[in-house]
């Protein structure tokens, strides 16, 4: 039987690395990343003890995750309690996507629940304030299954511009105005990295969020014009200002869209180097009406610019509920410092929910990606895959044991810690728990009693109800066949861009109808088909 000790104790040899350089020509993709790098110096193997995680697995199902089935059910659109902060995972893993888990997205709502917001009638209502943190590949499907309408998805905080964290923005931006987001889409994210290209002439690309939004807005021009025969603007929209939302800059749409139009795309670019060393220098959003404050801080991930966020909400009883989402990062000190959450007097208060990424050991990641049941170093391309996974981890991620170590550095401990960006299966979680507990014996993960756990692994449709002194885990019960989310359509709506002389929608204004087969043939005075659709 192969053990994890054997697996993790085996390092990639120089010969493997050279073999890898040949494989690179074939564009091998293991660990979700195409190989295209030259061989680099390989480090000597680091002695690490076994973590009790044997492969072939000793009884854990490798293709399922049974823990979520023990959670209380959550019904979509259940109104929030006044003192409740709700954290819903719409995506929870890293590339490649799995049917069970889309890429990263976290939806945070705060109470109270408002019925008939913005002059709407008959809709489901909405939270007093709500925020999307990242929107990776595939997450829109989960938002719709959860019956979350686009009008509630207007504030997006991107941690970094990797596609597994921002890909679905195109759908959220484009389809919002066709439904109930009749005002702009607001996108917070990092400014330019400042990293020069190593290739002559050493270009300094503008790789920040504002440039991203400018290019996205123009790339979506055909879509946005074509759908602009529908109303895209609410007549009484209170356009936010730098002051009213506590922003670090004026919220101005890129391009020529009006500041109250649904196809407005508003970047709020953040200075990613700031972390509150000078009080207030890292505030991304501070809304005195909804009592939500969101701050940012730099993390270490792939390229300069990646950030984590902290959300603090003052509940009606005056107690502050808090959540940190570090997103992707190597283990580093700013996240742990943020999670200590010191007050103005320097006293650490801790956070309610601490969400941080975790990555599988390179051997297990490669094993999973190749569909193996144990780390078979003799399998074709296995060692090359391990080598690739190691380089990805060195640039970007937090291994299981490192996660345990950094968690041990956070005192007071978070009330609930969530490992995310992780492919959850019974075997991967059981193995990861061993690594975490090696550094954090106080960690409790109990599949049979979810609400006694102080650490969990995120999975899609997991819902955390956070209240003063109480966090409850739930799992949403949804249909695979939901058509769409019920909407809170605001009223009154403005005249659409493509309209008739009477100010009505003009659905054919952008069309050449020469070859159209009409319902009624005026020449022969006969009906070709019925106008009512039947
Ligand atoms: Zn990622
Ligand atoms: Zn990333």
């Amino acid at each position: 039987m192969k053990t994890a000790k054997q697996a993790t104790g085996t390092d990639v040899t120089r010969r493997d690395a050279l073999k890898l350089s040949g494989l690179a020509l074939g564009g091998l993709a293991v660990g979700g990343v195409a190989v295209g790098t030259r061989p680099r110096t390989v480090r000597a193997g680091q002695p690490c003890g076994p973590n009790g995680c044997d492969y072939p697995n000793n009884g854990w199902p490798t293709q399922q995750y049974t823990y979520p089935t023990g959670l209380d059910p959550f019904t979509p659109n259940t109104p929030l309690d006044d003192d409740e902060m709700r954290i819903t995972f719409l995506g929870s893993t890293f590339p490649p996507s799995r049917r069970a888990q889309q890429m990263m997205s976290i939806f945070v709502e705060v109470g109270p629940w408002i019925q008939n917001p913005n002059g709407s009638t008959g809709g489901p209502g909405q939270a007093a304030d709500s925020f999307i943190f990242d929107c990776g590949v595939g997450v829109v499907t989960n938002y719709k299954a959860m019956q979350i309408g686009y009008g509630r998805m207007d504030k997006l905080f991107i941690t970094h511009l990797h596609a597994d964290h921002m890909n679905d923005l195109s759908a959220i931006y484009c389809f919002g105005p066709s439904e109930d987001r009749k005002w702009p889409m607001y996108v917070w994210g990092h400014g330019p990295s400042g990293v020069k290209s190593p290739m002559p002439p050493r270009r300094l690309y503008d790789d920040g969020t504002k440039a991203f939004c400018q290019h996205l807005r123009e790339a979506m021009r055909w879509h946005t014009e074509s759908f602009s025969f529908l109303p895209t603007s609410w007549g009484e929209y209170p356009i936010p200002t730098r002051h009213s939302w506590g922003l670090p800059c004026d919220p101005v749409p890129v391009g020529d869209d009006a500041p109250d139009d649904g196809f407005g795309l508003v970047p709020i670019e953040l200075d990613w180097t700031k972390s509150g060393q000078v009080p207030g220098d890292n505030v991304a959003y501070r809304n005195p009406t909804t009592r939500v404050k969101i701050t940012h801080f730099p993390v270490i991930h792939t390229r300069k610019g990646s950030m984590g966020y902290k959300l603090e909400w003052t509940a009606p009883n005056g107690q502050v509920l808090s959540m940190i989402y570090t997103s992707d990062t190597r283990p580093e000190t700013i996240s742990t410092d943020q999670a200590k959450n010191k007050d103005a007097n320097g006293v650490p208060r801790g956070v309610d929910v601490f969400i941080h990424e975790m990555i599988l050991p390179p051997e297990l990641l490669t094993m999973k990606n190749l569909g193996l049941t144990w780390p078979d170093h003799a399998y074709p391309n296995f060692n090359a895959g391990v080598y690739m996974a190691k380089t990805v981890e060195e640039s970007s991620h937090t291994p299981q044991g490192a996660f345990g170590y950094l968690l041990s550095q956070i005192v007071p401990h978070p009330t609930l810690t969530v490992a995310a960006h992780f492919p959850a299966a019974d075997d991967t979680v059981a193995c990861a728990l061993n690594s975490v507990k090696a550094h954090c014996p106080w960690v409790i993960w109990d599949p049979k009693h979810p609400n006694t756990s102080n650490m969990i692994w995120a999975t899609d449709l997991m819902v955390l109800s956070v209240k003063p002194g109480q966090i409850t885990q739930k799992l949403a019960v949804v249909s695979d066949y939901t058509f769409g989310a019920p909407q809170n359509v605001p009223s009154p709506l403005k005249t659409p861009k493509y309209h008739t002389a009477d100010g009505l929608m003009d659905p054919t204004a952008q069309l050449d109808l020469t070859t159209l087969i009409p319902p009624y043939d005026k020449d022969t005075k006969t009906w070709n088909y019925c106008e009512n659709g039947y």
Side-chain angles (χ1 to χ4, degrees):
M1 178 179 283
K2 300 283 179 185
T3 66
K5 181 173 170 52
Q6 287 168 291
T8 54
T10 310
D11 217 318
V12 179
T13 64
R14 181 173 292 278
R15 205 163 136 215
D16 293 326
L18 291 171
K19 218 160 63 176
L20 173 67
S21 68
L23 287 166
L25 298 172
L28 169 74
V30 181
V33 177
V35 172
T37 52
R38 60 194 160 83
R40 38 198 301 283
T41 307
V42 177
R43 293 175 184 174
Q46 178 190 13
C48 289
N51 75 348
C53 186
D54 288 348
Y55 280 92
N57 78 79
N58 46 10
W60 303 304
T62 59
Q63 300 297 328
Q64 53 178 294
Y65 187 41
T66 54
Y67 178 49
T69 57
L71 303 176
D72 290 345
F74 173 81
T75 303
N77 282 329
T78 302
L80 283 164
D81 288 342
D82 290 357
D83 63 348
E84 181 179 11
M85 174 167 78
R86 182 182 292 156
I87 302 173
T88 305
F89 291 85
L90 286 308
S92 53
T93 194
F94 77 131
S97 284
R98 321 162 71 200
R99 283 275 291 169
Q101 285 177 287
Q102 303 303 318
M103 298 185 198
M104 284 308 302
S105 190
I106 302 168
F107 188 57
V108 180
E109 301 163 283
V110 298
W113 193 257
I114 299 169
Q115 288 295 342
N116 303 322
N118 309 329
S120 65
T121 51
Q126 65 183 34
D129 215 347
S130 56
F131 313 89
I132 299 175
F133 290 91
D134 288 341
C135 57
V137 177
V139 303
V140 163
T141 306
N142 279 340
Y143 274 90
K144 297 303 112 180
M146 281 291 281
Q147 308 265 297
I148 298 167
Y150 286 118
R152 297 157 62 191
M153 299 168 63
D154 61 347
K155 301 188 192 82
L156 168 64
F157 290 74
I158 297 178
T159 59
H160 61 293
L161 291 167
H162 273 158
D164 58 320
H165 297 258
M166 60 60 178
N167 182 84
D168 274 15
L169 173 57
S170 59
I172 296 168
Y173 164 68
C174 284
F175 290 116
S178 305
E179 297 194 357
D180 60 357
R181 180 174 55 72
K182 305 292 186 182
W183 51 82
M185 181 79 208
Y186 300 89
V187 181
W188 284 254
H190 58 77
S193 68
V195 178
K196 276 188 179 173
S197 169
M199 308 297 285
R202 307 275 342 255
R203 279 189 65 185
L204 189 60
Y205 299 107
D206 187 348
D207 53 1
T209 302
K210 186 172 180 185
F212 175 82
C213 287
Q214 285 168 336
H215 293 301
L216 180 70
R217 202 273 161 266
E218 284 313 310
M220 297 299 133
R221 180 62 64 183
W222 196 93
H223 179 107
T224 61
E225 291 298 313
S226 71
F227 270 101
S228 290
F229 67 90
L230 299 170
T232 60
S233 187
W234 169 35
E236 296 176 1
Y237 179 60
I239 299 167
T241 64
R242 182 175 185 161
H243 177 73
S244 68
W245 278 8
L247 306 172
C249 59
D250 291 322
V252 180
V254 294
D256 61 355
D257 301 290
D260 64 350
D261 193 89
F263 286 126
L265 188 59
V266 180
I268 295 152
E269 203 165 74
L270 305 171
D271 181 347
W272 57 266
T273 64
K274 303 292 193 234
S275 59
Q277 297 302 94
V278 176
D281 70 357
N282 63 337
V283 175
Y285 178 84
R286 191 202 309 252
N287 188 325
T289 306
T290 61
R291 305 182 309 280
V292 174
K293 180 170 105 169
I294 298 174
T295 50
H296 58 93
F297 53 91
V299 295
I300 302 174
H301 176 66
T302 319
R303 180 174 174 88
K304 289 176 183 173
S306 298
M307 300 182 303
Y309 291 104
K310 182 196 291 184
L311 183 151
E312 295 162 276
W313 176 55
T314 306
N317 70 353
Q319 189 164 339
V320 177
L321 300 180
S322 56
M323 178 216 76
I324 283 182
Y325 171 48
T326 66
S327 189
D328 298 6
T329 177
R330 294 188 67 180
E332 47 74 51
T333 56
I334 297 179
S335 292
T336 54
D337 204 46
Q338 290 285 327
K340 290 173 188 167
N341 205 20
K342 292 177 186 153
D343 65 15
N345 300 318
V347 179
R349 300 294 183 189
V351 290
D352 293 290
V353 180
F354 180 66
I355 305 167
H356 191 288
E357 73 132 80
M358 172 189 287
I359 194 163
L360 287 167
E363 281 78 8
L364 298 192
L365 182 57
T366 308
M367 176 189 88
K368 289 284 186 182
N369 282 334
L370 291 176
L372 305 175
T373 53
W374 60 281
D376 183 357
H377 283 263
Y379 191 86
N381 295 343
F382 187 89
N383 286 343
V386 171
Y387 181 80
M388 270 311 302
K390 279 174 184 266
T391 61
V392 170
E393 295 193 11
E394 187 176 342
S395 81
S396 304
H397 296 298
T398 298
Q400 297 168 175
F403 189 108
Y405 176 76
L406 77 86
L407 196 53
S408 75
Q409 302 301 298
I410 302 171
V411 181
H413 309 316
T415 308
L416 182 67
T417 297
V418 184
H421 206 256
F422 186 88
D426 283 5
D427 63 338
T428 59
V429 169
C431 183
L433 180 68
N434 289 343
S435 300
V436 172
K437 282 181 86 87
H439 299 276
C440 278
W442 51 267
V443 160
I444 300 167
W445 175 79
D446 185 347
K448 294 211 168 58
H449 305 96
N451 291 321
T452 64
S453 301
N454 56 20
M455 177 167 176
I456 59 173
W457 275 258
T459 192
D460 288 13
L461 308 185
M462 180 177 278
V463 178
L464 304 178
S465 167
V466 184
K467 296 182 182 183
Q470 180 194 356
I471 300 176
T472 310
Q473 299 174 53
K474 300 176 183 176
L475 188 67
V477 179
V478 302
S479 166
D480 287 350
Y481 301 96
T482 305
F483 267 70
Q487 297 176 38
N488 302 303
V489 180
S491 179
L493 294 175
K494 282 189 172 178
T495 302
K497 181 173 185 178
Y498 293 90
H499 60 267
T500 65
D502 300 333
L504 302 174
M505 291 185 276
D506 190 349
T508 60
Q510 303 172 66
L511 293 169
D512 174 358
L513 299 174
T514 313
T515 58
L516 183 78
I517 301 173
Y520 183 71
D521 191 319
K522 287 178 189 151
D523 297 331
T524 62
K525 296 191 170 125
T526 55
W527 284 94
N528 293 323
Y529 55 89
C530 291
E531 277 183 302
N532 66 4
Y534 289 99

